[in-house]
Amino acid sequence: MKKKLILSSILIVFTLALLAGVLSGCSNITALFEVNATNLANYANFSYSNGDNKINFSLKASGEAWVKISWDSAVVFNEIFLYENGSNVTGFEIYVNDKLVASQDEIGKMRNVYLGSTTATSITVKVTSCSGTYKLTDIGIYNLPRNREFHSTAFVRLNENGEPLEGVDISKIKNYTDYILYPLTTFDSEGNLNMASFGLSDVVRQIRSFNYSAKIHIAVIPEVSEEISENDVRHSAFKDYADTLAKNVAELIKDSGLDGAVFGFDFSFGENLFDYGVYNDFISTLRGKIMSPYEIGVFINPDAIMFNKQSKKLIDNFYVLTPNLDDNNACTFAQTVCETLETLKNSDLPKSKTYLTVPFYSYNSETETLYEYGDYAEQLGEYGNVIELEDGNKVRINGYSFVRDMAAFCYDYGIAGLLSVCPHYDTTGSLSLANAIKETLQ
């Protein structure tokens, strides 16, 4: 267990004031996502733990129960979707040809399990624990294509008081397709940039030395001081010094060899369209200075209420904040993935520009305690999402299978990719979360 204040600097970039209130719930998962592929379950036989044999799938019980799906000849698939009426399943397992291949702690309205290319004559879905009576209503077994670009972006905190990559284990971040660097650059209320003591171009060269083709962006955030709040700095710079700030950022990008910049916004600011007009006007000014192929990115809540249609066209990358960034302990797959995407769909953001965030830590906002994934990877194993502390308390954290399944669903849904927050908290080897993301592309 470690108490740290490192999250405070992250939350300067990711302002989370309204996040808890914007998610609507997975009210209609089939309306959110309909798989356009052959469901192999439609051609299977179903045998149940109570002795029933049926030609369709459904599983209702108040304790441990299972259903075996079988075919007369082998089928090839890579992903399974389970659908529940309610959220009463608290543990389930999947067996392929009677071998355990997956184990997770909840299903909810929908839960996918990504296994990679798999050949089988039977699959067993077993509910191992529940809270009351549950009912699984449907199953989808698919061989879904992996034939498009999917970005894996690392949100990398650099050292400001020495060698910038000092303390960053390169082996944990070398395989990403994109990088967002922080907290090198801040701006004041008049649009002036304040840089770290070392050269940003040197950092860019170091990253390209181990990942030549990666896109590298810089997070540009308000300057923090006792005299003026970060939100007031942001509003003043965007409103009264937009041209100055946009010009300075454009010059920084070109001079440093960057591919673009990413801005954080004050999501709690603004009660009407006039207030948010300041942000939209700034995006228009910024686009006038930062021409393609240089990119503009923004961190945004799933409801995306602050940006108008024109801004959505001008912005290249939307990094959508998931609810487990500031308190992972109560966030299930349904809350983190399904509810975020459902709210996002109503926001009319282009899927091809959208990323979901995934923290490589768990953070208890009440105790300000941070738990690094790498410290607990072995304890979690391939399937675990909950760590047990020495004092007997339990903490939820994104485990290997959770991240793999999240990445697979985001790929299937059609969004641009995932943003890994604090990837230096990862581990190396078979339980690496970066590898879990990469595995879904194979």
Side-chain angles (χ1 to χ4, degrees):
M1 182 176 71
K2 301 180 179 181
K3 283 198 172 186
K4 298 184 177 181
L5 297 179
I6 194 169
L7 258 290
S8 62
S9 65
I10 297 175
L11 299 185
I12 292 173
V13 185
F14 299 143
T15 306
L16 298 167
L18 293 183
L19 183 57
V22 300
L23 300 184
S24 61
C26 265
S27 58
N28 190 351
I29 190 65
T30 56
L32 169 67
F33 178 69
E34 183 176 354
V35 182
N36 185 22
T38 299
N39 185 357
L40 298 173
N42 293 336
Y43 309 97
N45 302 305
F46 300 88
S47 302
Y48 291 83
S49 52
N50 64 1
D52 289 346
N53 291 287
K54 301 180 180 179
I55 59 172
N56 55 15
F57 178 92
S58 67
L59 185 62
K60 183 178 181 180
S62 55
E64 184 175 290
W66 53 261
V67 53
K68 189 169 187 176
I69 306 104
S70 60
W71 298 266
D72 294 334
S73 58
V75 297
V76 178
F77 65 95
N78 59 8
E79 199 160 2
I80 298 172
F81 288 78
L82 295 170
Y83 300 86
E84 181 184 358
N85 183 9
S87 300
N88 291 332
V89 172
T90 58
F92 72 95
E93 297 174 343
I94 292 179
Y95 296 79
V96 171
N97 297 333
D98 298 323
K99 179 182 178 181
L100 179 68
V101 296
S103 176
Q104 286 291 282
D105 51 4
E106 52 88 21
I107 295 176
K109 291 295 180 71
M110 188 283 300
R111 182 65 156 85
N112 71 309
V113 175
Y114 185 78
L115 299 175
S117 184
T118 302
T119 302
T121 55
S122 70
I123 297 171
T124 301
V125 177
K126 181 179 181 180
V127 175
T128 56
S129 61
C130 59
S131 58
T133 300
Y134 58 87
K135 182 179 181 180
L136 304 189
T137 59
D138 202 0
I139 187 171
I141 303 170
Y142 304 101
N143 194 32
L144 298 178
R146 288 292 182 268
N147 54 9
R148 72 173 180 89
E149 186 177 47
F150 187 79
H151 293 265
S152 178
T153 303
F155 187 70
V156 181
R157 177 182 173 85
L158 301 178
N159 177 27
E160 295 178 273
N161 301 312
E163 175 63 31
L165 290 175
E166 182 181 354
V168 177
D169 187 341
I170 301 301
S171 66
K172 295 179 181 179
I173 66 168
K174 66 180 181 180
N175 292 323
Y176 287 86
T177 64
D178 301 76
Y179 299 88
I180 299 176
L181 310 178
Y182 81 103
L184 294 175
T185 307
T186 62
F187 60 88
D188 64 21
S189 58
E190 296 182 354
N192 301 305
L193 296 185
N194 303 298
M195 303 294 298
S197 58
F198 51 80
L200 180 56
S201 57
D202 292 336
V203 180
V204 173
R205 280 194 293 270
Q206 288 183 66
I207 293 176
R208 296 208 190 283
S209 71
F210 61 80
N211 193 338
Y212 179 77
S213 61
K215 287 187 175 181
I216 306 173
H217 302 79
I218 184 73
V220 183
I221 63 178
E223 183 180 278
V224 177
S225 69
E226 296 181 358
E227 290 76 23
I228 181 171
S229 72
E230 64 189 70
N231 294 337
D232 288 339
V233 169
R234 181 189 289 108
H235 187 63
S236 174
F238 286 2
K239 182 176 184 294
D240 299 322
Y241 298 92
D243 193 73
T244 299
L245 178 56
K247 180 181 177 181
N248 288 337
V249 173
E251 291 178 352
L252 173 68
I253 291 172
K254 294 177 182 178
D255 293 344
S256 303
L258 290 160
D259 294 289
V262 185
F263 285 83
F265 288 80
D266 173 21
F267 301 122
S268 63
F269 169 80
E271 297 180 355
N272 54 58
L273 294 178
F274 176 79
D275 291 332
Y276 287 134
V278 172
Y279 292 161
N280 288 290
D281 289 344
F282 173 70
I283 293 297
S284 180
T285 301
L286 189 64
R287 185 82 277 175
K289 301 294 183 182
I290 301 178
M291 306 297 290
S292 179
Y294 297 112
E295 296 182 341
I296 297 172
V298 295
F299 300 110
I300 190 169
N301 272 337
D303 61 1
I305 60 174
M306 66 173 60
F307 293 120
N308 59 26
K309 290 184 178 180
Q310 179 66 11
S311 292
K312 291 174 183 178
K313 291 180 181 179
L314 298 178
I315 294 169
D316 298 290
N317 303 307
F318 295 89
Y319 301 100
V320 180
L321 310 186
T322 49
N324 55 0
L325 275 182
D326 69 333
D327 195 347
N328 194 19
N329 206 36
C331 296
T332 63
F333 188 92
Q335 294 166 319
T336 300
V337 183
C338 299
E339 294 180 13
T340 299
L341 289 176
E342 186 173 37
T343 304
L344 182 65
K345 183 177 182 179
N346 297 329
S347 303
D348 195 31
L349 285 186
K351 289 193 294 184
S352 61
K353 296 182 178 182
T354 300
Y355 302 72
L356 293 196
T357 48
V358 52
F360 283 23
Y361 58 82
S362 183
Y363 183 67
N364 188 316
S365 58
E366 292 185 1
T367 62
E368 294 187 339
T369 305
L370 183 142
Y371 306 89
E372 300 178 16
Y373 168 76
D375 291 341
Y376 300 94
E378 292 298 328
Q379 178 181 335
L380 290 165
E382 183 179 356
Y383 305 132
N385 298 313
V386 177
I387 55 178
E388 187 166 344
L389 306 177
E390 294 180 359
D391 60 8
N393 289 321
K394 295 182 178 180
V395 174
R396 186 176 183 83
I397 195 168
N398 297 325
Y400 182 91
S401 293
F402 184 103
V403 172
R404 179 194 62 195
D405 296 343
M406 177 181 180
F409 185 67
C410 288
Y411 183 102
D412 300 331
Y413 185 70
I415 69 172
L418 291 182
L419 172 62
S420 302
V421 182
C422 295
H424 52 289
Y425 292 158
D426 201 359
T427 188
T428 56
S430 61
L431 295 176
S432 163
L433 298 185
N435 288 342
I437 299 171
K438 187 176 179 180
E439 182 183 340
T440 64
L441 306 181
Q442 300 171 353

Coordinates of all heavy atoms in Angstrom, one line a residue, residues 53 66 294 321 364:
N53 N -31.3 -30.4 -21.9 CA -30.7 -30.2 -23.2 C -31.6 -29.4 -24.1 O -32.8 -29.7 -24.3 CB -30.4 -31.6 -23.9 CG -29.4 -32.4 -23.2 OD1 -28.2 -32.1 -23.2 ND2 -29.8 -33.4 -22.5
W66 N -24.0 -24.1 -14.8 CA -23.2 -24.0 -16.1 C -24.0 -24.5 -17.3 O -25.0 -25.2 -17.1 CB -21.9 -24.8 -16.0 CG -22.0 -26.2 -15.6 CD1 -21.8 -26.7 -14.3 CD2 -22.4 -27.3 -16.4 NE1 -22.0 -28.1 -14.4 CE2 -22.3 -28.5 -15.6 CE3 -22.7 -27.5 -17.8 CZ2 -22.6 -29.8 -16.1 CZ3 -23.0 -28.7 -18.3 CH2 -23.0 -29.9 -17.5
Y294 N -0.2 18.1 -38.4 CA -0.1 18.3 -37.0 C -1.5 18.1 -36.3 O -2.5 18.6 -36.9 CB 0.5 19.6 -36.6 CG 1.9 19.8 -37.1 CD1 2.2 20.7 -38.2 CD2 2.9 19.0 -36.6 CE1 3.5 20.9 -38.6 CE2 4.2 19.2 -37.1 CZ 4.5 20.1 -38.1 OH 5.8 20.2 -38.6
L321 N -12.6 10.4 -20.8 CA -12.3 10.0 -19.4 C -13.2 9.0 -18.9 O -14.4 9.2 -18.9 CB -12.3 11.2 -18.5 CG -11.4 12.4 -19.0 CD1 -11.4 13.5 -17.9 CD2 -10.0 12.0 -19.3
N364 N -7.8 5.3 -4.5 CA -8.9 5.5 -3.5 C -8.9 7.0 -3.2 O -8.0 7.5 -2.5 CB -8.6 4.7 -2.2 CG -9.8 4.7 -1.3 OD1 -10.4 5.8 -1.0 ND2 -10.2 3.6 -0.7

